[in-house]
Amino acid sequence: MKTDQKNSSPRRKLALIIGNDNYNVLHNKLNHSINNTRDLSDVLKKIDFDVTMHIDVDSEMMVTIKSFSKTINDGDIIIFYFSGHGYEVSGKNYLIPVDDTRIKTDIDVEDIGISVQSIVERLIERNSSYVTIFIFDCCPPYWLKPPRTSNSTVHGKGLNKIQPPSGTFIQFACAANQTVDDSGGKQRNCLFSKHLIRNIARENINVTDVFRDIAKNVCSESNGVQKPLSMNGLDQHDGVFLNAVSSIIPNIPYGTVWKSKAQTIAGIRGPGSALAALNFPKGIFVNKNQAVFIADSSNNRIMKYNRGVIAGKIIAGKNISGYGSDRMWEPSNVIYDEQSKSYIICDYQNRRVLRWASRSSTFAEELITNKGCFGLAMDDEGSLYVSDTELHEVRRYRPGERYGTVVAGGNGQGSHLKQLNHPTYIFVGPDQVVYVSDTWNNRVVKWEQGAKEGIIVAGGHHKGKDETQLFHPAGLIVDRLNTIYVADYYNHRVMRWYKDASHGNIIAGNRYLPGNNANKLNGPEGLAFDKHGNLYVADSNNHRVQRFSIRIV
């Protein structure tokens, strides 16, 4: 399979956060460091960092850092943050511990202070392949003698510029060799950390852009007095995101309710082959503009319906079946690859997966051939997942891989937990967890990365129509709360199963009876959510796509 290169795996996120306010030497006490530390820790926890926080750390600081370093695995995203006093001696930087009574001279700083170079070396030693971010909010001047004495000018000039090792990003709260006295003021945080806390959790923003914006805001608010300095050693990494939020996984609040009567948004003239008609639609997806893309299976084409438009547009295939670069035979699924700006299509009866350029409706590239493909999914790292109804397995194709790797099933047809039986629709969640509509086993199965067998997360109690059962599960979505949404084909309904629930509940369709009214379904297949949480259902045997609008409470 050919595709473009992206980062290949999810990563752990660890942070060591230290704030020193209560220095033993009274004239060096600070006001904001502990607040900075606590507030930053809270923000990082919300974006899934495992945070280790310490306040008012003494000269044993390096022991704390060494202990933290032992928790690092190569490939992690690491943040080290220090808010407190820093000091430069002979071009070398030191962090000042709170037990600073014995610090009278530069030599004392070298003896008692904690070497920034040693901190950097220690933390990157165990994380050579990925990214370590160092943030030093050390702008307040450190006075070797009380500032009211005649020799009050004897204080550090701020931290010296550092050459960042490869794989590191080093951020100073002010310019090299600059100090800014923020001991006064009534704000909870100092200026730099205030903007750091506001910006560091922004979604899907490259870390270099985050700190660029922070520096810009700090410089503006200080009228050009405080100019944060960034030292970037991340040239070998194509984008580093502290809060990468999936564009694939929907965010549906717990307890969401949808209107019982749906609106037909595609196929109002069906069944048929006209542009306003569909013929047994299967897989669907909805883009950010609420355009709906449909595998119009028995019309052998992929359709696009813009919002509010009755007639669709053919974006791939024709109205007749065939095998070639411009034809398909009962396509079962379609997804969109943002990286290559192309549609990925399962050409079911032709047993192949195609890439169809979004700017062309006349040419397809074969990605995978001679496979009983049905379902498609793509994770945020660009790997493609394909279900195979003949080999009863799901394979993952990383960028550049030709044959792929079995990630679910692959142990023959059957009902054991290590087996699948005609897997159709699939969904890939965080950490490359694969969810499978194990259709002929009437269950949804979850396969963790590297697992040898699956876990039943919906159905699995033989075919049936009660709340613990499914009958030929089809379209499948999992949201950020790990709630499962599944089209229950022969029960003519869409079911929701909360995480670890023993049963599901109906969210669309009218019990178990098929129908073509606005509150009924007949053989639902593909499912999708738009950015507002509206639910889209390929109502296959009614030859239409229905939108169930979310209820605003």
Side-chain angles (χ1 to χ4, degrees):
M1 188 197 80
K2 300 176 183 178
T3 188
D4 297 310
Q5 183 69 42
K6 289 186 179 181
N7 294 333
S8 60
S9 65
R11 303 180 186 276
R12 293 195 315 161
K13 300 190 286 189
L14 285 73
L16 175 58
I17 312 296
I18 297 174
N20 283 359
D21 264 345
N22 296 302
Y23 286 87
N24 290 350
V25 176
L26 293 180
H27 59 257
N28 282 318
K29 284 184 178 292
L30 298 173
N31 298 327
H32 299 119
S33 295
I34 292 176
N35 287 341
N36 294 341
T37 299
R38 287 173 173 162
D39 293 350
L40 179 61
S41 295
D42 289 343
V43 170
L44 291 177
K45 288 175 183 177
K46 290 177 181 178
I47 58 172
D48 299 325
F49 270 84
D50 185 355
V51 177
T52 302
M53 183 185 75
H54 295 275
I55 59 176
D56 289 338
V57 181
D58 61 18
S59 53
E60 296 296 309
M61 189 187 302
M62 200 64 199
V63 175
T64 298
I65 293 168
K66 289 179 180 178
S67 176
F68 173 78
S69 72
K70 293 178 181 178
T71 68
I72 297 172
N73 295 331
D74 195 21
D76 292 342
I77 298 176
I78 305 299
I79 289 179
F80 175 83
Y81 169 88
F82 177 81
S83 181
H85 282 300
Y87 197 93
E88 176 264 326
V89 179
S90 301
K92 295 183 179 179
N93 298 319
Y94 298 88
L95 305 184
I96 306 299
V98 293
D99 54 342
D100 62 337
T101 308
R102 295 182 293 116
I103 297 179
K104 307 293 185 183
T105 67
D106 285 0
I107 294 175
D108 296 334
V109 172
E110 292 176 309
D111 289 341
I112 300 170
I114 290 81
S115 165
V116 168
Q117 181 177 349
S118 296
I119 296 171
V120 172
E121 290 175 352
R122 171 64 64 169
L123 295 184
I124 67 174
E125 179 183 20
R126 295 174 64 92
N127 192 30
S128 59
S129 72
Y130 204 56
V131 171
T132 306
I133 298 166
F134 298 89
I135 307 169
F136 299 101
D137 192 348
C138 303
C139 291
Y142 184 75
W143 302 89
L144 296 179
K145 294 184 178 181
R148 294 177 182 174
T149 68
S150 60
N151 200 19
S152 63
T153 58
V154 182
H155 61 81
K157 296 181 181 180
L159 300 179
N160 197 44
K161 188 175 182 179
I162 301 171
Q163 180 63 38
S166 178
T168 68
F169 185 93
I170 301 174
Q171 180 68 50
F172 288 173
C174 48
N177 308 115
Q178 181 187 31
T179 60
V180 176
D181 188 355
D182 67 349
S183 58
K186 296 182 179 179
Q187 294 196 36
R188 177 175 173 81
N189 306 108
C190 64
L191 179 59
F192 172 81
S193 285
K194 177 180 74 173
H195 288 285
L196 174 69
I197 292 161
R198 287 179 180 177
N199 286 275
I200 198 166
R202 290 164 60 194
E203 296 180 357
N204 300 322
I205 305 295
N206 193 333
V207 68
T208 56
D209 294 330
V210 169
F211 283 102
R212 180 200 63 202
D213 292 345
I214 292 169
K216 180 180 178 181
N217 293 337
V218 170
C219 187
S220 175
E221 189 170 338
S222 67
N223 295 317
V225 172
Q226 186 172 342
K227 301 178 180 179
L229 174 65
S230 299
M231 292 147 281
N232 186 3
L234 302 180
D235 292 343
Q236 66 180 7
H237 297 287
D238 184 19
V240 176
F241 302 90
L242 301 181
N243 188 20
V245 176
S246 174
S247 60
I248 298 170
I249 302 173
N251 185 18
I252 308 298
Y254 185 90
T256 294
V257 177
W258 291 266
K259 294 179 179 180
S260 61
K261 292 185 177 181
Q263 177 185 1
T264 300
I265 54 91
I268 65 170
R269 301 278 193 259
S273 59
L275 294 180
L278 298 171
N279 198 351
F280 294 105
K282 291 189 174 2
I284 59 175
F285 81 87
V286 181
N287 71 8
K288 60 184 178 181
N289 297 320
Q290 293 180 276
V292 183
F293 297 80
I294 305 164
D296 189 11
S297 182
S298 291
N299 280 328
N300 308 295
R301 65 190 185 184
I302 305 297
M303 297 292 292
K304 175 183 179 181
Y305 283 78
N306 288 317
R307 184 180 181 184
V309 175
I310 294 176
K313 176 184 177 182
I314 299 174
I315 62 170
K318 298 183 177 180
N319 288 339
I320 55 176
S321 63
Y323 189 100
S325 62
D326 62 344
R327 295 189 184 184
M328 292 177 287
W329 187 7
E330 294 189 3
S332 60
N333 222 312
V334 56
I335 60 175
Y336 188 69
D337 179 10
E338 290 283 354
Q339 183 72 10
S340 64
K341 307 298 181 187
S342 60
Y343 305 101
I344 310 298
I345 301 166
C346 176
D347 187 8
Y348 179 60
Q349 293 291 1
N350 282 326
R351 305 178 68 249
R352 61 182 182 171
V353 177
L354 306 175
R355 185 202 304 280
W356 209 290
S358 59
R359 296 183 179 275
S360 171
S361 60
T362 59
F363 175 77
E365 172 192 3
E366 289 186 336
L367 298 180
I368 302 168
T369 58
N370 298 317
K371 288 287 182 182
C373 64
F374 190 99
L376 300 172
M378 185 168 281
D379 64 25
D380 284 317
E381 308 297 336
S383 295
L384 177 65
Y385 297 71
V386 181
S387 67
D388 190 325
T389 58
E390 297 173 5
L391 296 179
H392 311 283
E393 66 183 22
V394 178
R395 283 185 179 260
R396 178 187 62 221
Y397 296 83
R398 294 190 188 277
E401 286 186 345
R402 182 177 178 183
Y403 298 107
T405 302
V406 175
V407 294
N411 296 298
Q413 182 178 15
S415 60
H416 296 294
L417 290 179
K418 68 178 181 179
Q419 296 177 305
L420 298 172
N421 191 353
H422 198 80
T424 54
Y425 293 86
I426 55 178
F427 188 89
V428 180
D431 299 328
Q432 299 178 336
V433 175
V434 180
Y435 295 82
V436 186
S437 278
D438 190 8
T439 300
W440 290 356
N441 280 327
N442 300 295
R443 65 191 185 185
V444 175
V445 187
K446 170 184 173 182
W447 287 69
E448 303 276 359
Q449 187 176 11
K452 300 299 181 183
E453 60 181 33
I455 302 168
I456 299 172
V457 292
H461 297 283
H462 307 291
K463 65 183 180 182
K465 60 184 180 182
D466 73 24
E467 61 186 6
T468 68
Q469 294 176 302
L470 298 170
F471 191 0
H472 198 93
L476 177 64
I477 300 175
V478 182
D479 70 17
R480 295 185 194 177
L481 299 177
N482 293 317
T483 302
I484 295 163
Y485 305 84
V486 58
D488 194 6
Y489 183 86
Y490 282 121
N491 283 324
H492 314 289
R493 63 190 183 183
V494 178
M495 297 288 287
R496 171 174 59 195
W497 293 65
Y498 289 116
K499 182 180 179 181
D500 299 326
S502 60
H503 64 277
N505 63 287
I506 301 171
I507 62 170
N510 187 9
R511 295 295 176 182
Y512 329 109
L513 300 176
N516 59 8
N517 295 332
N519 65 338
K520 291 188 177 182
L521 300 169
N522 189 352
E525 290 257 7
L527 299 180
F529 286 108
D530 65 21
K531 62 184 179 181
H532 303 295
N534 299 312
L535 172 65
Y536 295 71
V537 183
D539 190 11
S540 189
N541 295 340
N542 282 326
H543 313 285
R544 64 187 183 182
V545 173
Q546 300 287 84
R547 180 175 66 216
F548 292 86
S549 297
I550 191 170
R551 287 187 182 272
I552 306 300
V553 179

